[in-house]
């Protein structure tokens, strides 16, 4: 038991140290970016196609059109 607890603490300290080093390296800016950043923008003139709405004739006219057929 006297060897197990210090061994686990040593492993824990090594894991925390490795994590701190990894986070520190990720926070450093890269010396040269591999590619230029690309910005994709939606074109402002692209609107959805207008909906075609056809007005219905008044109810009386519909009834008269049905009689003609």
């Amino acid at each position: 038991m006297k060897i197990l607890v210090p061994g686990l603490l040593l492993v824990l300290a090594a894991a925390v140290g490795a994590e701190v080093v990894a986070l520190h390296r990720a926070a450093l800016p890269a010396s040269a970016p591999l590619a230029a950043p690309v910005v994709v923008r939606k074109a402002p003139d692209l609107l959805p196609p207008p909906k075609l709405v056809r007005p219905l004739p008044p109810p009386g006219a519909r009834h008269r059109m049905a009689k003609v057929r």
Side-chain angles (χ1 to χ4, degrees):
M1 190 71 161
K2 290 182 181 181
I3 297 174
L4 182 65
V5 173
L8 287 175
L9 287 175
L10 185 62
V11 169
L12 180 65
V16 170
E19 190 67 27
V20 168
V21 169
L23 288 174
H24 181 68
R25 285 186 181 169
L28 293 176
S31 59
L34 298 177
V38 177
V39 177
V40 178
R41 294 184 185 159
K42 199 178 228 184
D45 58 350
L46 287 179
L47 297 174
K51 294 181 179 177
L52 300 176
V53 178
R54 185 175 51 143
L56 293 175
R62 244 189 302 169
H63 182 63
R64 278 184 257 130
M65 289 180 5
K67 285 184 177 177
V68 173
R69 290 186 188 169

